[in-house]
């Protein structure tokens, strides 16, 4: 995960903060050893669903988004066959009780992916999991998660600043600390034209949104929902703040780059957009199952009618080397997470993805899913508009230009989980700066499809005629994209 690949200076700073807040003691993993297998099904036979009646599982907004872009619901949109799920449940239950009637194995289906036609099953018995793959409708199986020997306790509650520090304000500057990162992309001109993301819904896929439910500058954001695929809410428990508000502030920083609306302190790139906050990154481990969580999160975003997804997550190496990838796999289809991301434009969704922070390490390249087809992959620049050395490079294994575009990420101005202005480095933070402006551009050009907006941003970027493997198509110019898009609309209407 690219969050972990940060420079030594930031690591030292974070360790200081953690030490001041108190250490997080380890505890044994509850319930003994558990495993998660991903089962890929052969087909979707026996399903009561049909593509002629998508309203049975997709929201009106999701269906309408496809209709506006001339996109049809297809077989990948159909849910996993309930018949097969029942068969898995019946078989697993039979195996569990046959082995030990008094103390049967503990197992559960924890999720499905309709686009990949997969099922995730967790159990504390590998015999049960191995026998499931013998079912005739299962095409493939893979171990994607093993419980750690211990886990970190949740971070202690961090107090939120109710007011800004005196040094957080920038006198006489509307965008405050966000001036450079917005003006570098000509985003302020979009804002001046009245485009601030209104009517566009963005899903932020991340690992946690610490104190986003308490920080005054973020409380004003139009957050319409939250969803956790790592620790799903239990309906039998009383209402409580979701766990995703109590862990890492990585998502808080990402979100703040878009939603902040504090003149003189920090104004984000899309303060009037709607937001879904979705956690799919497990902070305790780094294992292939996080690709499945990501896929489920993306599918949920689709079904909820989201227009744009911001993902500042990236993978290539896992704990105990369980399913590590190779650079030869960077083709947009090999990794499950990339294969899923490559479907998004065909569902009418714009995906804005971080390139990854592996530029100074042995990997050097973009991480997964930054290699996906028909998405916008974002690298990081410094204030001199030069690429940050940590920013992952391209191209993809099949020769496509990556990253697509660049934005300020060394450093970017953000709001921390403490509610204070910070400057942090990473493609994680250049990505939402671009993502918010994509929302503003789409607001201005609602007649264009997701793929048309992506291509418009590419061809109006600074190096479109001479792209390279470091900066891609270069620095986006959102005002140029707006003007050309408006001209294209005019020409189209006159025909």
């Amino acid at each position: 995960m690219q969050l972990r690949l940060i420079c030594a200076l930031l690591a030292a700073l974070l360790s200081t903060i953690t030490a001041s807040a108190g250490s997080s003691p380890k505890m044994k993993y509850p319930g003994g050893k558990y495993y998660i297998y991903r089962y890929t099904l052969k087909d979707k036979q026996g399903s009561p669903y049909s593509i002629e009646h998508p309203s049975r599982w997709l929201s009106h907004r999701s269906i309408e988004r496809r209709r506006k872009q001339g996109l049809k619901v297809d077989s990948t949109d159909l849910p996993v066959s309930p018949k097969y799920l029942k068969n898995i449940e019946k078989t697993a239950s039979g195996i569990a009780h046959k082995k030990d009637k008094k103390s049967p194995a503990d197992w559960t289906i924890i999720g499905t992916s309709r686009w990949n036609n997969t099922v995730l099953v967790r159990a504390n018995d590998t015999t049960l999991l191995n026998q499931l793959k013998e079912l005739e409708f299962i095409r493939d199986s893979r171990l994607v998660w093993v419980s750690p020997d211990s886990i970190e306790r949740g971070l202690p509650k961090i107090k939120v600043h109710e007011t800004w520090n005196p040094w957080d304000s920038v006198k006489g500057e509307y965008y405050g600390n966000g001036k450079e990162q917005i003006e570098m992309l000509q985003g302020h001109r979009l804002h001046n034209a009245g485009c601030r993301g209104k009517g566009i819904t963005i899903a932020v896929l991340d690992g946690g949104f610490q104190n986003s439910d308490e920080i005054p500058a973020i409380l004003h954001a139009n957050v319409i929902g939250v969803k956790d695929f790592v620790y799903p809410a239990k309906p039998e428990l009383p209402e409580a703040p979701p766990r995703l508000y109590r862990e890492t502030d990585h998502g808080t920083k990402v979100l703040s780059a878009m939603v902040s609306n504090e003149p003189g302190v920090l104004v984000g790139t899309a303060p009037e957009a709607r937001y879904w906050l979705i956690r799919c990154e497990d902070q305790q481990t780094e294992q292939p199952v996080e690709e499945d969580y990501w896929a489920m999160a993306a599918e949920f975003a689709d079904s909820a009618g989201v227009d744009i997804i911001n993902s500042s997550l990236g993978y290539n190496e896992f704990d105990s080397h369980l399913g590590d990838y190779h650079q030869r796999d960077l083709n947009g289809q090999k990794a499950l997470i990339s294969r899923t991301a490559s479907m998004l434009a065909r569902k009418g969704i714009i995906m804005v993805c971080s390139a990854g922070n592996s530029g100074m390490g042995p990997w050097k390249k973009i991480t997964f899913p930054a290699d996906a087809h028909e998405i916008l992959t974002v690298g990081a620049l410094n204030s001199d508009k030069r690429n940050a050395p940590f920013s992952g490079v391209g191209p993809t294994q099949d020769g496509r230009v990556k990253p697509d575009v660049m934005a300020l990420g060394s450093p970017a101005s953000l709001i921390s989980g403490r509610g204070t202005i910070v400057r942090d480095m990473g493609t994680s933070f250049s990505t939402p700066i671009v993502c918010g402006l994509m929302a503003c551009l789409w607001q201005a050009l609602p007649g264009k499809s997701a793929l048309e907006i992506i291509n418009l941003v590419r061809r109006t970027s600074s190096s479109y005629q001479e792209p390279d493997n470091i900066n891609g198509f270069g620095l986006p110019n959102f005002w140029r994209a707006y003007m050309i898009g408006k001209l294209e609309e005019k020409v189209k209407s006159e025909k």
Side-chain angles (χ1 to χ4, degrees):
M1 182 188 75
Q2 67 187 54
L3 291 79
R4 298 178 182 177
L5 301 172
I6 57 178
C7 69
L9 178 60
L10 289 176
L13 175 61
L14 289 173
S15 65
T16 301
I17 292 172
T18 303
S20 65
S23 60
S24 299
K26 290 188 175 182
M27 55 184 261
K28 290 206 51 94
Y29 193 83
K33 208 70 174 176
Y34 276 78
Y35 309 84
I36 297 177
Y37 271 59
R38 175 198 303 154
Y39 299 100
T40 303
L41 310 183
K42 290 181 178 179
D43 51 50
K44 294 183 176 181
Q45 289 184 9
S47 173
Y49 303 104
S50 69
I51 57 177
E52 287 77 24
H53 302 285
S55 59
R56 291 188 60 188
W57 73 93
L58 291 176
S59 70
H60 173 74
R61 278 185 54 83
S62 179
I63 296 169
E64 184 64 14
R65 187 191 64 238
R66 284 170 168 80
R67 187 196 65 77
K68 282 179 62 179
Q69 299 181 53
L71 302 168
K72 294 182 179 180
V73 174
D74 60 33
S75 60
T76 63
D77 292 305
L78 289 170
V80 170
S81 171
K83 176 183 176 181
Y84 292 160
L85 292 178
K86 287 181 181 177
N87 200 323
I88 290 173
E89 291 173 352
K90 181 179 178 181
T91 304
S93 182
I95 295 171
H97 284 84
K98 185 177 181 180
K99 185 173 182 181
D100 191 335
K101 292 182 180 180
K102 292 184 178 179
S103 232
D106 184 26
W107 68 273
T108 185
I109 295 175
I110 63 173
T112 64
S113 166
R114 61 179 189 273
W115 294 350
N116 297 291
N117 202 24
T118 56
V119 181
L120 285 182
V121 180
R122 182 180 64 217
N124 60 356
D125 184 354
T126 54
T127 301
L128 181 152
L129 292 166
N130 283 318
Q131 287 186 24
L132 284 180
K133 64 185 180 184
E134 301 302 322
L135 292 169
E136 61 179 4
F137 54 83
I138 290 179
R139 178 166 58 86
D140 184 52
S141 66
R142 180 183 174 187
L143 173 66
V144 292
W145 184 83
V146 179
S147 60
D149 293 330
S150 61
I151 60 173
E152 300 282 348
R153 291 185 183 275
L155 293 174
K157 184 73 172 64
I158 294 178
K159 185 178 180 181
V160 172
H161 285 230
E162 297 293 333
T163 58
W164 298 112
N165 292 316
W167 54 85
D168 286 336
S169 299
V170 181
K171 189 175 181 180
E173 177 49 59
Y174 173 73
Y175 285 103
N177 295 277
K179 174 181 169 67
E180 184 180 21
Q181 58 204 41
I182 288 182
E183 292 188 355
M184 187 179 286
L185 307 183
Q186 298 298 307
H188 61 297
R189 301 183 74 177
L190 265 186
H191 287 182
N192 291 340
C195 304
R196 295 162 62 88
K198 189 173 183 180
I200 304 296
T201 304
I202 300 172
V204 184
L205 275 55
D206 217 282
F209 302 86
Q210 187 182 78
N211 291 332
S212 290
D213 58 337
E214 294 184 18
I215 297 170
I218 294 178
L219 273 177
H220 298 299
N222 188 7
V223 176
I224 60 176
V226 300
K227 185 76 172 176
D228 193 335
F229 285 92
V230 181
Y231 297 101
K234 295 181 179 179
E236 67 271 15
L237 295 179
E239 188 117 8
R243 183 168 174 172
L244 57 78
Y245 284 139
R246 297 294 172 257
E247 294 198 17
T248 176
D249 71 346
H250 183 269
T252 309
K253 294 173 182 176
V254 168
L255 182 64
S256 71
M258 295 183 282
V259 306
S260 301
N261 195 16
E262 297 286 322
V265 180
L266 183 66
V267 176
T269 49
E272 293 182 7
R274 296 182 294 258
Y275 292 88
W276 269 95
L277 310 185
I278 306 178
R279 195 250 284 269
C280 56
E281 159 67 23
D282 186 352
Q283 295 295 298
Q284 306 297 339
T285 66
E286 189 81 333
Q287 300 191 48
V289 73
E290 290 169 75
E291 295 187 67
D292 298 89
Y293 295 152
W294 194 99
M296 292 190 290
E299 291 176 25
F300 172 82
D302 165 50
S303 65
V306 159
D307 302 299
I308 303 175
I309 288 176
N310 183 98
S311 177
S312 291
L313 303 169
Y315 304 91
N316 66 291
E317 186 176 289
F318 300 105
D319 295 346
S320 302
H321 300 291
L322 179 66
D324 285 357
Y325 287 111
H326 305 280
Q327 289 189 359
R328 62 177 178 267
D329 300 324
L330 286 166
N331 60 14
Q333 293 296 327
K334 175 71 174 180
L336 181 137
I337 193 171
S338 301
R339 192 162 61 247
T340 306
S342 294
M343 297 183 188
L344 288 167
R346 285 177 277 152
K347 313 297 182 185
I349 297 172
I350 292 173
M351 160 82 162
V352 187
C353 179
S354 56
N357 300 335
S358 300
M360 296 175 69
W363 180 266
K364 298 189 185 306
K365 303 273 278 188
I366 56 172
T367 50
F368 306 89
D371 65 320
H373 295 262
E374 300 178 346
I375 69 169
L376 204 71
T377 300
V378 184
L381 295 174
N382 60 25
S383 294
D384 294 327
K385 298 182 182 178
R386 295 182 181 275
N387 72 294
F390 58 76
S391 190
V393 301
T396 61
Q397 183 67 13
D398 53 334
R400 286 174 290 118
V401 172
K402 288 291 173 181
D404 292 278
V405 295
M406 308 292 281
L408 187 63
S410 181
S413 294
L414 313 156
I415 298 176
S416 72
R418 295 174 179 270
T420 58
I421 296 296
V422 294
R423 287 169 179 78
D424 208 343
M425 294 193 286
T427 59
S428 288
F429 309 125
S430 54
T431 299
I433 294 169
V434 171
C435 182
L437 293 176
M438 294 291 282
C440 298
L441 183 64
W442 213 358
Q443 175 194 352
L445 304 170
K448 289 191 177 293
S449 69
L451 192 53
E452 287 172 335
I453 291 289
I454 290 171
N455 286 331
L456 178 59
V457 171
R458 285 177 180 149
R459 60 189 168 92
T460 53
S461 293
S462 61
S463 301
Y464 179 67
Q465 298 299 329
E466 296 180 302
D468 59 40
N469 69 320
I470 296 175
N471 295 306
F473 296 109
L475 197 64
N477 185 324
F478 279 92
W479 183 246
R480 185 187 299 157
Y482 169 83
M483 296 297 288
I484 290 178
K486 283 294 186 183
L487 180 60
E488 290 173 345
E489 284 188 341
K490 183 179 179 182
V491 171
K492 185 177 179 179
S493 66
E494 290 174 352
K495 285 184 178 180

